[in-house]
Structures are given as C-alpha cells and as structure tokens.
Amino acid sequence: MLTKRYSMMTEHELRMEISTLNDQAKKAEQLGIVNEYAVLERKAVLAKSYLLNPKDFKANEVYEIEGDPGVLFQIEYMNGVFAWGKRKIAGSQEEGIPIALLKKKD
C-alpha cells in the first residue's frame, strides 16, 4: 500500500485523513491501547499542521501550547510545519513543535 505524504495531499485529502485518524484513535482509546492512541493523535496533529500556513507563525513570538495550559513557547525559527524554539520554563531545551499545537497568547 502506497501512502501519500501529508505535504502532497490536498486540503480535502488532509481533512479525510484527520477524520480517519480521529476515528481510529477513538477505537484505540476504547480498547485501552494507549500507545496506538498516542501515535494516532500525533499523526492527526501533524496532518492538521499542513492545513495551516507556516508564514502565520513568526520567530521571536510567544505562543501557548495546546494541551499544556500555562506553558509558553517562543519560536526561534520555522522549518516547514514545525516551529523550533524553547518553552518558557527554566532548563528547557530547543524542540520542534507542530504548528497545530500552537495558539496565539491572549
């Protein structure tokens, strides 16, 4: 089976993929398969990132991280649909976060 890269999918294909991944994740959660659930959730977030415009995310801006309330992330640079930077907590190291997990700080 050949699978298409998210970067090569149309918006419609991405939305269908996200829907499929969400359905599979629900089933995995119901069956108690925690590892599979986590992988499917991450894949859905990555697919959602391809629906966003990376140019909307700027270096040196600070964003909140979805699912991690109160934790802020400062972008150092962008690489595709990943924002690279550091969390605004002591001792944090540089990491890449899919842009679908970032939201504008209020």
Side-chain angles (χ1 to χ4, degrees):
M1 177 174 111
L2 292 175
T3 56
K4 215 176 189 183
R5 291 175 160 224
Y6 292 152
S7 61
M8 303 301 283
M9 289 184 179
T10 65
E11 182 178 336
H12 176 71
E13 289 172 322
L14 284 167
R15 291 188 189 285
M16 296 297 292
E17 176 73 3
I18 292 165
S19 177
T20 300
L21 290 168
N22 286 337
D23 290 344
Q24 291 174 344
K26 277 184 195 169
K27 288 178 186 173
E29 184 179 35
Q30 290 169 348
L31 294 172
I33 308 171
V34 179
N35 291 344
E36 184 175 341
Y37 171 77
V39 168
L40 293 166
E41 284 287 301
R42 281 293 184 192
K43 286 175 89 172
V45 165
L46 189 56
K48 287 176 190 174
S49 294
Y50 279 93
L51 292 173
L52 301 173
N53 185 354
K55 292 179 182 175
D56 293 339
F57 298 83
K58 307 287 183 211
N60 298 317
E61 286 191 19
V62 177
Y63 296 84
E64 290 185 50
I65 300 175
E66 291 268 343
D68 207 349
V71 176
L72 301 177
F73 183 82
Q74 184 169 2
I75 297 176
E76 293 177 8
Y77 66 95
M78 296 293 299
N79 187 357
V81 296
F82 280 83
W84 286 85
K86 293 182 181 177
R87 295 174 191 241
K88 301 286 266 176
I89 53 177
S92 71
Q93 296 182 346
E94 184 180 72
E95 64 181 308
I97 294 181
I99 58 177
L101 288 179
L102 300 178
K103 61 182 181 178
K104 270 288 200 195
K105 193 178 127 196
D106 295 328

